[in-house]
Amino acid sequence: MTVCIIISVVAVIFFSLIILLIYRRKSARKFLQKISLFQEQIEEFFAELDFLLNQFITKEQEEEFIAKCQELYSEIGRYRIPKKNAAFAEISKFKETFKNLQKIILRSNGEIKRKEKIKNLAQKISEFFNELFKLTENYVSHSAKLQFIKKWQFLFLEANQTEARDEDEKFSEIERFKTVYDSLHDYFENANEQFIQNESLKYDALFSNVDGKNLDFQQRTAVITDEDRILVLAGAGSGKTLTIAAKVKYLCEVKNINPDEILLVSFTKKSAQEMTERIQDKLGINAQATTFHRLGLEIIKNANGRRSEVSDENVLGDFINNFFENELLNYPELIKNLTEYFA
């Protein structure tokens, strides 16, 4: 009787162990299947995340993606994955990524904005250099320098405020722009010097035969320089008239300027006549030199339609004396201004 009971108990235990083993095997198989499913879903998660991170992610896209992946994150949280499991590292990476998803997206959006800003900046810098190289194909005057510098000053500020990194493709170009812009005055000065040298060599035949004479480098510099205002200091017999004649020849033959658009003014009638003869007779250019007085009379004549007579020098004095004696009291404001002036 006792033996039968023992045998029955052993049989129950044995069959219970078998059932438990079968259950555990089924559970383990289901667990592995679940882990495999998690791995597939995690792979899809990272693939979609990589795709999203290649573009700017809007708030709506961010919320939609987080909501979509929240169920997977919650379900994985209900399982205890042993460290020795091959999927442990992958699942841990997913959990950590999902927890920091908002930070990752924020950082990605910031980097996309930064790169877009770098791209736009590089495009503007390319336009800057294209215009700079085009400008320095000729002599750059002082006013043109200032205008160019002012035009691009905001780009210089933008370049200094933009976070450009060594690894950026356009980093060296941005640094080059900042260096060039910061030393534009020197850049233009060197460019002008180079232009004068190149122009002197290019038109050496012209400068070597102006009225049978060869211009030295200082004279050539005065001719080629296309500045807003040029002051040339030269002594008697140093070739001032020759240089002016060469300037006219250079403007007409090289720069295609109409001789009628060139104004030559001198202090004396004799020097104006000498200049006209040299340019017209010896260079064959129909440019006319004049004096300051003659120029003034011509301007008045063109404005009034008649030639004005030159008044006697005493006429102006008589006019002023008459005004002070008879008319001044009629202008109280003028009296006040004259009193302050003479005081």
Side-chain angles (χ1 to χ4, degrees), residues 36-47:
S36 178
L37 179 62
F38 285 157
Q39 286 178 299
E40 291 177 6
Q41 292 174 311
I42 288 171
E43 185 177 349
E44 292 175 1
F45 164 83
F46 280 111

Side-chain angles (χ1 to χ4, degrees), residues 36-244:
S36 178
L37 179 62
F38 285 157
Q39 286 178 299
E40 291 177 6
Q41 292 174 311
I42 288 171
E43 185 177 349
E44 292 175 1
F45 164 83
F46 280 111
E48 187 172 351
L49 179 60
D50 288 340
F51 174 78
L52 288 173
L53 294 178
N54 286 324
Q55 57 193 327
F56 185 85
I57 303 172
T58 65
K59 196 65 181 175
E60 292 76 12
Q61 289 175 316
E62 177 186 336
E63 292 173 352
E64 182 181 344
F65 183 67
I66 292 175
K68 176 182 177 182
C69 303
Q70 180 67 54
E71 183 179 348
L72 174 62
Y73 178 78
S74 300
E75 188 175 0
I76 288 176
R78 291 194 289 268
Y79 287 81
R80 185 176 177 276
I81 315 295
K83 288 186 177 181
K84 62 181 180 179
N85 190 287
F88 178 80
E90 186 178 355
I91 292 173
S92 297
K93 179 183 176 183
F94 162 75
K95 292 165 70 175
E96 186 67 22
T97 301
F98 185 82
K99 283 191 294 185
N100 295 289
L101 199 52
Q102 289 180 318
K103 292 181 180 178
I104 292 171
I105 291 174
L106 181 64
R107 187 165 57 247
S108 174
N109 281 347
E111 182 64 10
I112 287 173
K113 283 184 176 180
R114 191 190 70 82
K115 288 183 176 179
E116 186 66 26
K117 194 171 184 180
I118 291 288
K119 180 180 177 182
N120 293 335
L121 178 63
Q123 178 61 39
K124 295 176 187 176
I125 288 174
S126 177
E127 294 172 6
F128 164 86
F129 278 113
N130 287 338
E131 187 171 331
L132 178 62
F133 297 150
K134 185 69 176 177
L135 185 63
T136 50
E137 287 179 358
N138 296 292
Y139 187 94
V140 185
S141 67
H142 180 70
S143 59
K145 294 177 195 174
L146 296 181
Q147 184 178 357
F148 184 85
I149 292 171
K150 183 178 180 181
K151 176 180 179 180
W152 296 100
Q153 63 181 348
F154 292 108
L155 182 61
F156 181 66
L157 292 174
E158 182 182 345
N160 282 319
Q161 293 169 358
T162 300
E163 182 190 356
R165 301 170 187 165
D166 292 347
E167 63 269 20
D168 290 329
E169 181 183 354
K170 302 296 183 179
F171 177 78
S172 58
E173 188 174 348
I174 293 171
E175 291 301 303
R176 176 185 171 221
F177 162 73
K178 290 194 288 187
T179 300
V180 170
Y181 184 88
D182 203 34
S183 57
L184 267 179
H185 287 287
D186 292 335
Y187 185 95
F188 282 126
E189 184 176 345
N190 294 332
N192 282 342
E193 289 178 0
Q194 188 61 52
F195 175 78
I196 290 171
Q197 292 179 7
N198 293 342
E199 200 81 343
S200 178
L201 290 173
K202 184 177 180 180
Y203 298 104
D204 181 66
L206 184 151
F207 296 125
S208 297
N209 183 23
V210 180
D211 191 13
K213 298 179 177 62
N214 181 23
L215 271 63
D216 60 27
F217 188 72
Q218 286 183 321
Q219 290 173 312
R220 295 185 183 203
T221 299
V223 170
I224 296 168
T225 300
D226 188 19
E227 196 50 82
D228 302 317
R229 292 170 294 278
I230 307 172
L231 174 63
V232 179
L233 300 176
S238 58
K240 295 187 294 297
T241 304
L242 177 67
T243 303
I244 293 173

